[in-house]
Amino acid sequence: MEPDVDKEFVAGLEKGLMVIEAFALKNGPLTITEAAKITGHSRSSARRSLITLERLGYLETDGKQFRPAPRLLRLAHAYVAASPLAKLVQPTLEALTERTQEPSSFAVLDGSDAVFVARATAKRSLSGGLWIGSRLPAYCAATGRVLLAALPEEEALQRLQRMVRQRLTPNTLTEIPALMEELARVRAQGYALNDEELELGVRSIAVPIRNAAGQTLASVSLATAAARRTTDNMIDTLLPELESIRRMLGSLI
């Protein structure tokens, strides 16, 4: 890194943000020791970050454990409020969900996860507890596979190799050769279909959203209960809806 770039880099801010992200990795409260272990920082460094965030109102503590405070939601809201893409997509998702009566999502790739930046749910909705900001492992989510398939093969391979690939259900693909074969299939057919790999009883289908230059920026998906739709039915009825959204958004972004 060049000296003038070094001068502009705030290491303390980086450490604080890594501590914030550690809560998602732990999926619960953090002690100082746990924060240090997850971030790779020293215990004293993790302690300073946690205490600073607590004094700023972003965390709460009982003296032993730290947990996110409601103020932390301002950071997520800042992205949604300032993102023209999220604003553009939300009404489209709501119309899509109204037509299909299935929850729809708009996701982008962040490291090893597909992150929802817009979402609409039907009255008859799945009980997965997903919302804006929710993250799904890209290797086994339909949205994630669409996004991984858009990457150069070598980059997709490297990302898969770095991921923790758990077998979440008996259907989950975890082996690299099988996943690379699946990404090739997604790339060729233009959509990804998830058949109970993330959660038993839940299926999903996703398509890429590309800009005028052909770059994949995001993916749009629909999820359904396995008892309600077969995979063939999803391809016949939900895929055309997603393709319509893909074409419409592609002309706008």
Side-chain angles (χ1 to χ4, degrees), residues 63-238:
K64 181 179 179 182
Q65 291 184 316
F66 291 80
R67 56 185 53 80
R71 186 184 180 107
L72 197 58
L73 291 172
R74 292 187 185 186
L75 301 181
H77 177 70
Y79 172 82
V80 175
S83 170
L85 198 53
K87 289 180 181 178
L88 175 70
V89 166
Q90 189 60 44
T92 303
L93 290 187
E94 290 169 4
L96 175 62
T97 289
E98 182 65 27
R99 289 195 304 273
T100 62
Q101 288 301 295
E102 304 289 7
S104 58
S105 304
F106 183 83
V108 297
L109 188 63
D110 180 26
S112 61
D113 297 327
V115 182
F116 292 167
V117 297
R119 181 162 166 81
T121 57
K123 291 180 181 178
R124 178 193 64 191
S125 184
L126 303 174
S127 59
L130 299 174
W131 53 86
I132 293 173
S134 290
R135 309 174 77 88
L136 296 178
Y139 72 95
C140 64
T143 51
R145 285 181 180 167
V146 162
L147 296 168
L148 287 172
L151 299 174
E153 283 191 48
E154 187 60 32
E155 183 179 348
L157 175 61
Q158 289 174 358
R159 291 206 188 205
L160 286 173
Q161 290 171 334
R162 291 196 297 265
M163 293 178 193
V164 177
R165 303 180 305 279
Q166 295 178 300
R167 191 173 298 280
L168 301 177
T169 79
N171 295 346
T172 310
L173 295 180
T174 60
E175 299 300 320
I176 294 291
L179 287 168
M180 290 299 290
E181 183 178 339
E182 181 63 21
L183 292 185
R185 183 180 298 110
V186 170
R187 200 175 295 116
Q189 67 191 14
Y191 67 89
L193 185 65
N194 181 296
D195 189 6
E196 301 184 77
E197 289 191 58
L198 265 172
E199 180 183 348
L200 288 176
V202 179
R203 292 180 172 131
S204 60
I205 188 168
V207 299
I209 302 299
R210 301 184 180 97
N211 61 15
Q215 299 169 311
T216 296
L217 302 180
S219 64
V220 171
S221 64
L222 285 163
T224 187
R228 197 156 59 238
R229 294 180 189 268
T230 63
T231 55
D232 286 343
N233 177 269
M234 293 173 71
I235 293 170
D236 290 342
T237 62
L238 299 185

Side-chain angles (χ1 to χ4, degrees), residues 10-54:
V10 183
L13 177 59
E14 179 196 27
K15 290 180 178 180
L17 292 173
M18 287 179 70
V19 166
I20 289 174
E21 291 181 348
F23 285 95
L25 296 173
K26 169 72 186 306
N27 198 25
L30 287 172
T31 63
I32 293 172
T33 300
E34 288 170 334
K37 182 177 180 180
I38 292 172
T39 61
H41 300 157
S42 67
R43 194 175 184 282
S44 60
S45 176
R47 179 177 178 277
R48 287 194 297 272
S49 293
L50 288 166
I51 290 175
T52 300
L53 290 166
E54 186 266 332

